[in-house]
Amino acid sequence: MTRIPDLRVGLGFSNEYDARAAVQCALEQALGRTGRPALTLVLTTEGYDPEEVIVGAVRVVGNSPLVGAWVPGIIFGFEVYARGLSVCTIGGEGIEAVTHLEKNVSASPFARGEKAGEALLEKGGDSPGTVLLFPDGSSANISELLRGLYNAMGPDFKYIGGGSGDNLRFNSTYQFTEEGVGSDAVAAAVLRGINFKVELDHGWSPAGEPFTITRAEGRRVYEIDGIPAFERYTALVRSCTRNGFPYYGMQYPLGLPAAGGKFIIRDPLKAEEDGSILFVTEVPENTIATIMEGDAESLVAAAGGVAEGALNTPVTPKVLILFDCVSRYLLLGKDFSGEMEAIAGRLKPEIPVLGMLSFGEISSVSGTPLFYNKTIVAAAGW
């Protein structure tokens, strides 16, 4: 893809309480850099009515493409905001974008993914681009959604994104485009005319011997090594109570082997009364897995490496977008500032940065789009 020399990116942030006022304030900051955008990305924390956000945005940018979602936290200026609204406007000659909002994803994730992919191709054609994805992070099977999307769109696209969510209340969340608002939906955009270098890592390492997921369905694991999942997990981590499970699940996720000696992390979410374990996303039956462990040092080092790799581009990037798992933020606590510092230390001050805490991360660095947990994805665009 040919580099577009006049690519322009603008960022804005507001924590005003009124949704229309907040998005208009943020857009005024951003549009000074871009003019009328080809695409506007809007990230808001809970409490901002998405219908009002769209109304406010349309008053400023008209009917140009817009994509966004509720997120558990906004990364802006290397600070994390639990309340606020941020925008990223992208413009320039040769920059094109289309969006689509696909609703009722959990009813049939694969079919909905295919339908979303077909709609994006119909609106924008099949020339290569980057697909930005914001699915409902609590949807039944995001991995299946991605398989359906990829089945329709194929390997000529890059795929990046993050699962949307509220501020850890797990009640409801919203995804939106200029077409409208959904919950249990995926908001998607195809962006053309920009190169993206994407990197990801998590900083977790295997601890102990591998085991087999002998019975599972979707997000629920019933048996590990032929033993009820909670019983076997307790033995593997040496000590775990049902009440203390959220702590142990955050500290000791599962790792599924991937290409190149890597591991895809799967986050345990809840120990059920029937002895099964509910995970954030699907864990395939008959797969091999291992308990993973990490600490602040390894997680922060991984984030620095991701930024360094993403920023290793032929020309200076014009924007860096971060999708950083909310569980990393919770686990690191006060040390999360070290993760932000590790990224900032690799960055030229003129490169604008916007990010979100995410309920799962999406990347196609392996070739096909996959859904990750406890991971940081960085995408540098130029």
Side-chain angles (χ1 to χ4, degrees):
M1 186 184 296
T2 303
R3 174 180 173 248
I4 304 298
D6 72 336
L7 168 63
R8 300 185 297 274
V9 177
L11 300 184
F13 176 83
S14 174
N15 55 11
E16 292 195 35
Y17 283 92
D18 180 80
R20 294 191 192 187
V23 72
Q24 289 171 2
C25 176
L27 281 169
E28 286 172 4
Q29 299 166 40
L31 292 174
R33 301 279 307 251
T34 61
R36 181 178 172 84
L39 179 69
T40 300
L41 167 61
V42 182
L43 303 175
T44 88
T45 57
E46 68 173 340
Y48 290 93
D49 183 337
E51 298 279 4
E52 291 295 295
V53 169
I54 293 173
V55 170
V58 167
R59 286 185 175 180
V60 180
V61 299
N63 61 355
S64 64
L66 177 150
V67 66
W70 269 18
V71 299
I74 293 169
I75 299 171
F76 191 88
F78 295 106
E79 297 287 338
V80 176
Y81 294 88
R83 188 182 70 80
L85 180 151
S86 63
V87 302
C88 176
T89 55
I90 300 172
E93 184 180 351
I95 310 298
E96 299 177 350
V98 296
T99 67
H100 179 71
L101 181 69
E102 187 67 33
K103 300 180 181 181
N104 301 317
V105 167
S106 62
S108 182
F110 186 90
R112 297 299 185 188
E114 277 193 318
K115 187 176 177 183
E118 290 165 357
L120 289 168
L121 293 175
E122 182 178 349
K123 294 175 181 179
D126 59 2
S127 60
T130 299
V131 186
L132 299 175
L133 295 162
F134 300 93
D136 186 329
S138 61
S139 286
N141 197 328
I142 295 175
S143 295
E144 190 75 358
L145 169 76
L146 295 177
R147 285 193 284 270
L149 184 82
Y150 184 78
N151 193 56
M153 301 191 72
D156 292 336
F157 294 84
K158 288 184 177 180
Y159 303 82
I160 54 173
S164 67
D166 58 17
N167 286 11
L168 301 175
R169 291 179 176 85
F170 301 101
N171 291 326
S172 61
T173 184
Y174 298 99
Q175 304 77 44
F176 49 88
T177 70
E178 77 281 4
E179 297 173 347
V181 177
S183 188
D184 183 28
V186 58
V190 175
L191 189 58
R192 293 180 171 89
I194 301 178
N195 297 296
F196 275 101
K197 174 78 180 296
V198 182
E199 293 285 340
L200 67 82
D201 202 355
H202 46 66
W204 296 85
S205 301
E209 296 298 317
F211 48 84
T212 304
I213 305 299
T214 46
R215 184 176 167 231
E217 183 176 348
R219 298 166 59 197
R220 192 180 301 275
V221 173
Y222 292 95
E223 293 181 359
I224 299 173
D225 291 339
I227 300 169
F230 178 70
E231 180 183 342
R232 182 65 176 129
Y233 180 87
T234 299
L236 288 164
V237 300
R238 299 182 180 85
S239 176
C240 180
T241 64
R242 196 174 297 277
N243 289 338
F245 185 80
Y247 168 81
Y248 283 95
M250 187 174 294
Q251 294 279 346
Y252 302 105
L254 267 58
L256 311 184
K262 304 286 188 178
F263 288 84
I264 296 176
I265 304 300
R266 287 293 175 256
D267 245 343
L269 187 62
K270 183 181 179 183
E272 302 285 17
E273 292 297 329
D274 63 359
S276 65
I277 296 176
L278 184 67
F279 283 75
V280 170
T281 192
E282 72 165 350
V283 179
E285 190 170 87
N286 296 321
T287 194
I288 302 298
T290 186
I291 297 294
M292 307 291 283
E293 62 182 6
D295 56 24
E297 183 178 356
S298 66
L299 269 63
V300 168
V306 164
E308 187 171 341
L311 293 166
N312 184 20
T313 56
V315 297
T316 301
K318 298 292 184 72
V319 66
L320 182 68
I321 304 174
L322 303 174
F323 304 93
D324 204 340
C325 188
V326 66
S327 69
R328 296 173 65 88
Y329 175 73
L330 295 173
L331 188 63
L332 284 169
K334 61 181 178 59
D335 290 322
F336 192 77
S337 61
E339 178 151 305
M340 294 293 96
E341 289 168 6
I343 297 169
R346 269 79 170 182
L347 199 70
K348 293 182 178 180
E350 66 268 23
I351 301 174
V353 180
L354 178 70
M356 61 180 277
L357 300 182
S358 50
F359 281 92
E361 301 71 52
I362 296 167
S363 171
S364 57
V365 294
S366 65
T368 59
L370 298 176
F371 191 58
Y372 297 84
N373 300 146
K374 275 186 162 55
T375 296
I376 178 169
V377 173
W382 73 96

